[in-house]
């Protein structure tokens, strides 16, 4: 063999191997980078849902509402039945609370006689405005973001704000 052709063949083989390694790295690296830096698919499940006419809620009388929320978990999409407690005050301001106690996540209910939200599991009590009356819950009830458009009440379904009352 001629010594002059060997370096050319070697460079060609190295270039081919380099191209193969680059294409494999690109093929594996692009999805990994998309996974790390693309927005979360869970955020696509967040949105607004209509829960009724705002005039249907009596001032000072909490009412549980049930609604469907579209939830995206990876490739799986499903409709999930959710619940919220809606309270309208005398001035017309509407607040929506998560249906889960801030202590251990138990479901609580409205007790009209005691005029408080009561968690039956550990006896946490919350006022009609969601503030903590008696523990062991560490804070008031978590709230959903609400808006009124026309006469319709909308809740943001991405989850409660977690601010407490």
């Amino acid at each position: 063999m001629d010594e002059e052709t060997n370096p050319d063949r070697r460079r060609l083989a190295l270039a081919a191997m380099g191209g193969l390694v680059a294409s494999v790295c690109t093929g594996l690296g692009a999805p990994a980078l998309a996974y790390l830096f693309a927005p979360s698919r869970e955020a696509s499940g967040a949105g607004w849902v209509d829960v009724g006419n705002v005039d249907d809620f009596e001032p000072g009388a909490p009412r549980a509402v049930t609604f469907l929320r579209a939830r995206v978990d990876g490739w799986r999409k499903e409709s999930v039945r959710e619940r919220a407690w809606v309270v309208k005050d005398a001035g017309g301001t509407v607040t929506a609370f998560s249906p889960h106690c801030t202590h251990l996540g138990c479901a609580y209910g409205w007790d009209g006689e005691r005029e408080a939200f009561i968690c039956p599991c550990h006896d946490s009590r919350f006022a009609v405005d969601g503030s903590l009356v008696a523990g062991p819950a560490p804070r008031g009830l978590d709230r959903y973001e609400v808006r009124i458009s026309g006469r319709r009440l909308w809740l943001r379904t991405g989850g409660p704000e977690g601010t407490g009352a």
Side-chain angles (χ1 to χ4, degrees):
M1 283 194 174
D2 189 19
E3 287 185 21
E4 294 177 8
T5 58
N6 270 344
D8 289 339
R9 286 182 184 175
R10 188 172 295 159
R11 267 187 250 144
L12 178 63
L14 288 174
M17 284 190 292
L20 182 63
V21 168
S23 64
V24 167
C25 289
T26 301
L28 295 175
L33 290 174
Y35 173 78
L36 292 174
F37 297 111
S40 171
R41 291 181 147 245
E42 183 62 35
S44 67
W48 293 89
V49 63
D50 183 353
V51 295
N53 188 327
V54 74
D55 297 326
D56 293 342
F57 297 94
E58 287 184 42
R63 190 174 98 192
V65 295
T66 303
F67 56 91
L68 290 176
R69 177 175 74 94
R71 189 173 92 183
V72 179
D73 183 13
W75 298 105
R76 194 170 81 175
K77 297 176 184 178
E78 62 184 352
S79 288
V80 179
R81 187 173 303 274
E82 298 270 340
R83 190 171 185 195
W85 282 95
V86 176
V87 179
K88 182 177 173 183
D89 68 14
T93 302
V94 178
T95 308
F97 299 108
S98 165
H100 306 290
C101 177
T102 55
H103 177 230
L104 292 176
C106 302
Y108 61 85
W110 175 252
D111 185 337
E113 291 178 14
R114 294 163 76 178
E115 294 189 355
F117 291 108
I118 308 292
C119 179
C121 300
H122 303 102
D123 203 31
S124 289
R125 289 188 300 279
F126 306 92
V128 71
D129 67 356
S131 61
L132 180 63
V133 174
R139 65 181 188 279
L141 297 172
D142 293 331
R143 298 172 185 223
Y144 283 96
E145 186 178 348
V146 298
R147 77 173 181 205
I148 297 173
S149 178
R151 300 309 308 153
R152 304 303 296 176
L153 175 63
W154 295 80
L155 298 183
R156 185 166 182 80
T157 62
E161 295 174 355
T163 58

